[in-house]
Structure formats: structure tokens, C-alpha cells
Amino acid sequence: MSEETPGFEEKPDVPSGDAAEAAESSEDAAAPAGDVTDTALLAQLDQARTALSERTADLQRLQAEYQNYRRRVERDRVTVKEIAVASLLTELLPVLDDIGRAREHGEVVGGFKSVAESLETVVAKMGLQQFGKEGEPFDPTIHEALMHSYAPDVTETTCVAILQPGYRIGERTVRPARVAVAEPQPGAQAKAEESDDSAEKDSE
């Protein structure tokens, strides 16, 4: 009687019905776990994007504030410089007045002439401008009338003499021009209008 080879009559390991169901349920459970992981990653990505947007907005706001600060500092620096220059030039106005009076009397000669011209050149480079001329209309915003008279040859209030020239820096008046003014003779305007009316009638 021959010996049987072991294992020939053994049945292969085939999962039973309960084991198959358990395997299928484990596969089904693994699939939702992957979905949960993807959802969590998407949520984290959204949070990162939101945080990035907030930080970007903060950076842009800081940059705008810094630019405003720089402009404000530059504007203040220019203002302080203008005030300092105007203060210095205002202190020099009496010296310029003396030079002007000396020039009128022919006393600006020799070395004094060179010094006077150098000073006038320097203050002009610093932005100081002289104004005020005889014959120009009187403007109370830039002229200060110290003397008043009537004249038959003017049709409006006119500066007939410049007692002290005015000075300005840019658009800012440092000192108004001190002038003598003349107004038309009382009734001269009415006479002029009457003469104009008569001339028109004669032409008709």
C-alpha cells in the first residue's frame, strides 16, 4: 500500500463568505479615508491662500503708509528750508535797501560795488526777487501806500514813486513795495465820460 503524497487532497485556501465580505468592507472603508485626506489638504490650502492674501494686503498697506510718510517728510523739509531762507533774506533787506540808496547817489564804486553786486547775485540765486516800478497800477496785495495824491494824467490809482522796493520769494511776498500813489482828479472820470458821449454824438 503506497503512501499518499501529502497536500494533494488538501483544498486551496479560499476565503469563506464572511471573510470575503470583511475584505470588501475594508476596501470600501479605505476609499472614504482618501477623500477625507484630500478634503483636509484642500482646507489647509484655502487657509494658506487666505493667510497669504491677508499678509499681502498688510504689506501693501505698510508700503502705502511708508510712501505717505516719505512724501510728508520731504514736504516738511522743503517747508522748513523755505522758512529758513525767507528768514535769512528778510534780515538782509535793510542791507539791500542801503545798497539801493547808495547806488542812487552814485556811491556804489570800487570795492564796495563788487561786494554789493556779489551780495545781490547771491540773494537772487536764493530766490529773492525785487518788484515795484513807477507807473504800474496800485495793487494792495503787493503794494503799501505811504503817500497819496491826485493827478490829472492817471485814469486809475497808480504807483508814481517807489519809496522802497518790494521783495518776493517765488509766489510768497516777503515785503510789499512801499509806494506813493496818485488817483485821478475828482470829477475827471465824469468829464471823461461826458467827452466820450459827446464824441459819440458828433460821430452820429
Side-chain angles (χ1 to χ4, degrees):
M1 187 174 161
S2 62
E3 296 181 1
E4 295 181 0
T5 306
F8 271 87
E9 293 186 4
E10 293 180 1
K11 295 182 180 179
D13 295 335
V14 177
S16 63
D18 294 339
E21 290 177 1
E24 289 177 0
S25 62
S26 64
E27 291 177 359
D28 293 341
D35 292 343
V36 170
T37 304
D38 291 344
T39 304
L41 290 175
L42 290 174
Q44 290 178 356
L45 181 60
D46 289 340
Q47 290 177 354
R49 286 175 177 169
T50 302
L52 178 61
S53 299
E54 292 175 354
R55 299 300 176 270
T56 303
D58 292 341
L59 179 60
Q60 291 173 344
R61 184 167 55 254
L62 288 174
Q63 287 179 335
E65 291 176 358
Y66 178 65
Q67 292 296 331
N68 292 335
Y69 168 76
R70 286 186 59 186
R71 282 193 289 267
R72 187 166 58 251
V73 169
E74 180 65 18
R75 185 172 60 248
D76 293 345
R77 186 185 66 81
V78 171
T79 301
V80 169
K81 179 181 177 181
E82 290 177 351
I83 292 173
V85 169
S87 178
L88 172 62
L89 294 177
T90 301
E91 295 296 325
L92 291 175
L93 293 185
V95 179
L96 296 174
D97 291 336
D98 291 339
I99 292 173
R101 283 190 289 269
R103 184 176 282 114
E104 290 175 359
H105 292 87
E107 298 175 357
V108 182
V109 293
F112 180 55
K113 178 180 180 181
S114 176
V115 172
E117 290 176 350
S118 296
L119 177 61
E120 290 172 340
T121 301
V122 169
V123 297
K125 286 182 179 179
M126 296 177 72
L128 187 68
Q129 298 175 344
Q130 181 178 312
F131 67 89
K133 294 181 180 178
E134 293 182 6
E136 64 185 9
F138 175 73
D139 183 351
T141 62
I142 60 173
H143 297 132
E144 181 181 351
L146 300 182
M147 298 176 64
H148 176 269
S149 62
Y150 293 99
D153 57 342
V154 297
T155 57
E156 60 180 340
T157 304
T158 304
C159 301
V160 294
I162 306 300
L163 307 179
Q164 271 187 336
Y167 290 95
R168 66 167 63 97
I169 301 174
E171 299 298 324
R172 178 182 177 185
T173 300
V174 178
R175 186 182 75 185
R178 290 164 180 161
V179 299
V181 298
E183 289 183 330
Q185 289 281 1
Q189 185 68 25
K191 291 180 181 179
E193 290 177 357
E194 289 177 2
S195 63
D196 291 341
D197 292 341
S198 63
E200 289 177 1
K201 289 179 180 178
D202 291 340
S203 63
E204 291 175 357

